[in-house]
Amino acid sequence: MSKPLARQYIIGSIHHKRAFGGACGLGAIAYITQTFFAQEFPEVARSGVLSNFISYTQAIAKVATLGGCEQQSEDAMN
């Protein structure tokens, strides 16, 4: 019975890029926020104060519909 030997393994460099969904991920979170406002504060959501915010979520939805998010996530992997 002998003591086990500790060996150090060097595997080279590891590259990792952390991302949070990019523009389409942020757009999805914005849409959830928009629907929350519409549910909880309908008078604010319909007042026009959030019109730029609503335009942003609609633009991101259009990008996602056209497949822009899928291309973006593939690029991030490479």
Side-chain angles (χ1 to χ4, degrees):
M1 302 287 282
S2 64
K3 269 184 140 178
L5 297 173
R7 294 184 187 173
Q8 185 176 7
Y9 291 98
I10 300 174
I11 59 173
S13 62
I14 297 175
H15 300 282
H16 175 72
K17 183 177 180 182
R18 183 182 302 198
F20 189 65
C24 289
L26 184 60
I29 293 169
Y31 181 74
I32 292 169
T33 305
Q34 177 184 332
T35 57
F36 171 78
F37 268 97
Q39 182 70 31
E40 295 298 319
F41 308 104
E43 64 284 346
V44 174
R46 293 184 182 97
S47 70
V49 175
L50 300 175
S51 62
N52 289 337
F53 187 70
I54 293 169
S55 296
Y56 169 75
T57 57
Q58 290 172 343
I60 292 296
K62 185 72 165 180
V63 168
T65 301
L66 296 173
C69 292
E70 292 173 12
Q71 293 171 352
Q72 181 181 20
S73 63
E74 289 174 9
D75 291 341
M77 290 179 168
N78 295 329

